[in-house]
Every structure is written in structure tokens, then in C-alpha cells.
Amino acid sequence: MLTELTFAILKYGFLVLLWVFVWLAMRSLHKDMETLSPHASRTHRRKERQARKAAESPAPVATSSAVPVRVPANEPPTPNSALSLLVIIDGPLAGASVPLTGESISLGRAASNTVVLDDEFVSSHHARVYQDPATGDWAIEDLNSTNGTVVNGQRISAPTILSARVPVRIGATTFELR
């Protein structure tokens, strides 16, 4: 037999669990909408404005009494033209890789693609990875797919240059260039 105290604890515990579930569902929906939204959020626009202002502000001028400080050089970034592999890091084909030979790599559900992604959220000809003729860097272009292509957490609407180890998501598949 349940006492009033036990019943009250169970009732309020259930209520707390219900609100935690609602909060997690709303957070998940918000993240999905933010990732797939074609418009940048207010926070993202604000961060871009602050970055532009910081880039436009003049650099501090060193005085003659200033002591030069040596900053250790980090490992130089890999130029995009030195990338050699498209590696699938998540999804049904995780672990697979395609060599970057200079030819265009098409991704989609159709059997005629270089990388065939058997996923209901992927269009038959979803996207292509190609070497930009002007710069020689590798780029990705969404081929007007229904669900879009997400590069580094942002849905793209124009061809985008890919850097090394930047995650690209198409449906349930995530890949990067190495």
C-alpha cells in the first residue's frame, strides 16, 4: 500500500521525467532545423559580424620598447591540392575510401554514381566533389538535392571549397577529404 508521501514522490518524479523528455525532444528538433535551415541564425550572423569587425580593425602598432615574442610555428596546413582520399567516416559505408585522382566524384543513390549511397534521404544524383579549375582546390556542389548537403554543420547552396578533415554529411553518410 502506497503512502501519500510515496505517491507524491512518484507523481513529481514522473512529472520531472516528462519535462526532461519534452526538453530533449525540443532540443533535437531545434538542432535539426538549425542545421538544415537555408538561412543563418541570428547568433551565426552576429558571430560573422564580429569576425568582420575584428578583421577590419587596424592591427596594434608595436613601439620601440616592445620586446619581440617568438610564437612557435605550428604544423603547416595541408594544401587542398595535396589531398588524396575521400574517406567515409560514418554511415553504412563507414571505412570506405575513394582516391582523389583529379576526376569528378559523384555521390547519390543511382548506380551510375562513383559513390552509391543506399539511403532514402539521398537523391539519385545528390552531389559531386570536383577539383576547382581556377584554384586547384577540391570543392563540393549540391546538385539540387531535396534534403541538401551539409558541410561542417552548415547546409550549402553554392559550390564550396573543402579543406582537409572537414565533415560533409549527405543523408546518413558523413565523409571528409584527407
Side-chain angles (χ1 to χ4, degrees), residues 51-68:
R52 267 196 311 272
K53 284 181 184 177
E56 292 173 359
S57 67
V61 179
T63 61
S64 59
S65 63
V67 178

Side-chain angles (χ1 to χ4, degrees), residues 41-64:
S41 67
R42 262 189 233 158
T43 306
H44 185 70
R45 287 192 307 259
R46 187 178 311 126
K47 285 180 184 177
E48 284 180 346
R49 255 193 324 270
Q50 289 173 348
R52 267 196 311 272
K53 284 181 184 177
E56 292 173 359
S57 67
V61 179
T63 61
S64 59

Side-chain angles (χ1 to χ4, degrees), residues 44 55 63 95 109 117 128 135 137 143 163 175:
H44 185 70
T63 61
R109 266 195 343 241
L117 303 172
R128 74 180 183 112
T135 63
D137 292 336
L143 302 175
S163 300
F175 67 89

Side-chain angles (χ1 to χ4, degrees), residues 15-30:
L15 189 61
V16 168
L17 281 174
L18 181 65
W19 278 108
V20 167
F21 173 75
V22 168
W23 179 77
L24 288 172
M26 296 303 289
R27 188 180 74 164
S28 176
L29 286 171
H30 176 71

